[in-house]
Amino acid sequence: MNIQESKLGENFHKTQDMNELTIAEDPKQIIWDMMTSFSERTWSARWASGLEFLLWEKVRSCSDDLTLREIADFNFYAGLAGGWWMWDKVQKSEVFVDLAQWQIIYSDYITATS
């Protein structure tokens, strides 16, 4: 078997250089898939209202609603992609925002809802 073809876990591949790992899939897409999967299994909706805020809090607080693997994956892929998905009311669609922008949005949300 070619080293490049050997799969490590679900989303990593070894390259010819044995010390280098590359991501086989877009980390932004992986986060989106995980978020919509959580929403579908929890509320039977692809994107429940407020999902981005609720899920961010669940990941940060290590909620029992998520497995340890899900928490680790959310943290890993958000860090790797450098952002988080959120609902844009103007575009009426999910948009990816960088982590610095997301943290401001999340902080404003917490302030407004407290």
Side-chain angles (χ1 to χ4, degrees), residues 12-63:
F12 296 95
H13 291 275
K14 272 280 196 196
T15 63
Q16 291 296 336
D17 178 355
M18 292 294 281
N19 296 320
E20 183 182 330
L21 289 176
T22 59
I23 301 299
E25 296 179 41
D26 180 4
K28 292 177 188 177
Q29 183 64 47
I30 294 169
I31 296 167
W32 186 86
D33 290 342
M34 290 174 62
M35 291 176 81
T36 56
S37 175
F38 178 83
S39 183
E40 287 171 353
R41 83 170 181 250
T42 305
W43 299 289
S44 299
R46 188 185 76 151
W47 195 275
S49 179
L51 171 67
E52 62 270 50
F53 302 108
L54 178 73
L55 199 47
W56 183 261
E57 177 59 31
K58 287 183 179 300
V59 169
R60 295 293 166 249
S61 68
C62 297
S63 170

Side-chain angles (χ1 to χ4, degrees), residues 61-106:
S61 68
C62 297
S63 170
D64 290 341
D65 294 335
L66 299 169
T67 66
L68 291 177
R69 176 62 187 254
E70 287 173 318
I71 293 166
D73 284 351
F74 272 120
N75 281 311
F76 177 75
Y77 289 113
L80 190 63
W84 193 250
W85 288 95
M86 64 172 285
W87 184 259
D88 185 303
K89 293 176 184 176
V90 174
Q91 294 183 30
K92 296 183 178 164
S93 179
E94 304 91 353
V95 295
F96 189 82
V97 295
D98 67 52
L99 283 176
Q101 184 180 0
W102 169 248
Q103 290 171 340
I104 292 167
I105 292 166
Y106 182 74

Side-chain angles (χ1 to χ4, degrees), residues 1-16:
M1 171 167 46
N2 182 331
I3 293 174
Q4 197 145 358
E5 295 171 0
S6 74
K7 208 164 182 191
L8 301 174
E10 198 170 298
N11 301 303
F12 296 95
H13 291 275
K14 272 280 196 196
T15 63
Q16 291 296 336

